[in-house]
Amino acid sequence: MSKYIELKRECYEANMRLPELDLVIFTFGNVSAVDRSEGVFAIKPSGVPYDVLKPEDIVIVDFDNNIVEGTMRPSSDTKTHALLYKTWKDLGGICHTHSTYAVAWAQAGRDVPIFGTTHADHLTQNIPCTEILPDHMIQGDYEHETGNLIINTFMERGFEPSEVEMVLVKNHGPFAWGKNAEKSVYNSAVLEALCKMAQLTLDINPDAPELKQSLKEKHYYRKHGKGAYYGQ
Amino acid sequence: MSKYIELKRECYEANMRLPELDLVIFTFGNVSAVDRSEGVFAIKPSGVPYDVLKPEDIVIVDFDNNIVEGTMRPSSDTKTHALLYKTWKDLGGICHTHSTYAVAWAQAGRDVPIFGTTHADHLTQNIPCTEILPDHMIQGDYEHETGNLIINTFMERGFEPSEVEMVLVKNHGPFAWGKNAEKSVYNSAVLEALCKMAQLTLDINPDAPELKQSLKEKHYYRKHGKGAYYGQ
Amino acid sequence: MSKYIELKRECYEANMRLPELDLVIFTFGNVSAVDRSEGVFAIKPSGVPYDVLKPEDIVIVDFDNNIVEGTMRPSSDTKTHALLYKTWKDLGGICHTHSTYAVAWAQAGRDVPIFGTTHADHLTQNIPCTEILPDHMIQGDYEHETGNLIINTFMERGFEPSEVEMVLVKNHGPFAWGKNAEKSVYNSAVLEALCKMAQLTLDINPDAPELKQSLKEKHYYRKHGKGAYYGQ
Amino acid sequence: MSKYIELKRECYEANMRLPELDLVIFTFGNVSAVDRSEGVFAIKPSGVPYDVLKPEDIVIVDFDNNIVEGTMRPSSDTKTHALLYKTWKDLGGICHTHSTYAVAWAQAGRDVPIFGTTHADHLTQNIPCTEILPDHMIQGDYEHETGNLIINTFMERGFEPSEVEMVLVKNHGPFAWGKNAEKSVYNSAVLEALCKMAQLTLDINPDAPELKQSLKEKHYYRKHGKGAYYGQ
């Protein structure tokens, strides 16, 4: 019997939340869950619709993209997940979708401005949108380079992946992560909500200002860090 | 056995309406219900998702923010609820959400203009959007000051909370209230609908005029007050 | 036993379609069904939410607004229904909602342009938006005058209610009708869809032209009239 | 017993996906499935709502529009389907809807620009919007000419129907196709999603540039053709 049954189950259940939360149609997304002690992660197989996906279909892969267990091909975005896990040691789960409003911002090529406390409850920065990869990287090891693109964007901006748990890959779509797979899906849903709210905010007031610093900090730190008083 | 079982039940059921009415995802909202004779209110615990919330999780708090009964931490917005109950004696329930269109107007920092009779059926004023708190209040007793901000906004505008049962807190989101918790949820749903209609109205006609006075009054007073002929 | 059981049932079932079709929340709408041989119509009672509405709650009213049967108060829009039935002899059902996109166009005060064949499948005219009633009519017999407003709008434009089965009352919302109550609900849902499509069309192309005459006629007459070849 | 039972079943099931995927209301769409060996296709009957449609209602028609089997009238768009099957030998299924965002682009009369990889996963071209038929063709054999309009649009642009599996008929709405009926429905849902994403993209950034060539090709060819590594 596989020693990855629990990991596959976690990955499967997180994937099944995507259609429930209206974040995907058909096969437009994938979630992975990591087991740091084993040095592997579980990820959705490529091209399998959610309504036929089973826990045993989940593929186990190591951080160098070797298939450790599974008969199906892993998600075509696997190399992006692998590099993020390898580089950022605190990630427990990663979620990639093509959710509508997040894709629209990624296609618009704009950071999502922090307009309110819904955003500040989750991060104090504008949600970053990457640049586009140069052609030789697209034609080369594309999904691996997409991982590098995300990591470099965070380095250039001085962002910590534990504080900014989401990104828009320009002209592509969102990636989000968290301490586990479920939290990465949560962050994907929050991102989609923030993107819709921001689009409507600009529609109502094209000159809407960003949230002021004191409110950013108040809302973020009442949910995160030592002085947090939100939740249990 | 707790003497607040009925109050907790009322509060629980009103909270459970929020996901049904698509007004919240995850933990993005809270409803409270007051018992004036006991000088307490029941409120959702902080950080508990709706799909696992149980009636016995509801926390009982007095108007000075002391926990009277309950093992969980009350909603982080509890002090805002407490001050509104303490100041406005007719409130029976309060509802706070981060519903999409209401947040967009709050982030846009604009009052919602009264464009039609759907709005006038519920209030004759534009839906007020507050100012932003000064930094020292944000860094101080923030949730209590948010209550003051709402109350001061109504005083400055000469609004009665019994006639205008909803407000947008700038860069944050909506609060609504009513004679009981269920009615506060109803008003939150009406507010969200009005915000969506107003956004679309401006999208179709940026110069759309406000409703004229005679229609405001006709629709409001056929549902409210002595001459009302709407409903039973 | 009431002789209006069948009529009440038709009216009840048509009303219950409104929440199913996402055309109403709470009590934001009403449908009526007429019995021409008895000179009466059945209409939703005022202020009753759809989830508790029962067939026996439906009220029977004649064309002069007298209650013929029923213990509840009929919809506050009853006089509008009555006058439309009395004036336009072919109407079998009338539906009034506050559906989101139709209200937005009514609040924008604009006719809905005929931009495509979805619209032309149902009518060859722009969907008319009325003017606003003068103050003395609003303060007088308001709901009756709303009926007159609709009828006068059709007279001024030379529209036949059998060919244009829907209207927007300015700053209020849509009324639709048809050969029976079910068809009036169908037309209300079509109207809402056309209003959403038209808003998006203008959003994508503010200079989108109206459909040309030959296409208007082709689509309308393949569904309506002698040469129709759509449907059974 | 009919020899077309399997074909009718395929057609029926594909049609029933349309309301599930929110691509139609009432009778606003139709799907067909072809049997090349028999030289016939199965298509939805005209004017039958989805909630009463049965597999045995499906009509069998040949490529010259003769009814081969069935008691109901085939969809009024049958001649468009027939001509596409007759001309493009690889089509296995065709789907026509009046889905909201696709209709909005068709009414706006604009090609849908390729803004991102969601689009490029399915086609490397902007989604073409046809011209309008001249009046004499509208007044003549309209549905047959609509088929010609689609085919001519592809010829003028040098598009292959196997590579661009969707089109917008100006002022009307979308047609999509694929290797079978189910795939044509899939493409209709993808088209609707792309149309919504593109509308929002322009709303956020009216100057959003098209996807660059290297990304178009990377995404398309990782799912299609010899070097594909997406799916099983």
Side-chain angles (χ1 to χ4, degrees), chain A residues 117-159:
Chain A
T117 64
T118 321
H119 189 134
D121 283 338
H122 298 92
L123 71 166
T124 62
Q125 305 292 344
N126 294 349
I127 298 162
C129 182
T130 69
E131 289 305 310
I132 291 267
L133 287 172
D135 285 358
H136 72 275
M137 290 186 181
I138 293 168
Q139 285 145 4
D141 197 358
Y142 171 61
E143 290 83 6
H144 180 80
E145 298 296 356
T146 299
N148 271 324
L149 175 67
I150 293 171
I151 292 160
N152 290 339
T153 299
F154 273 59
M155 285 179 61
E156 283 162 22
R157 302 203 185 198
F159 287 177

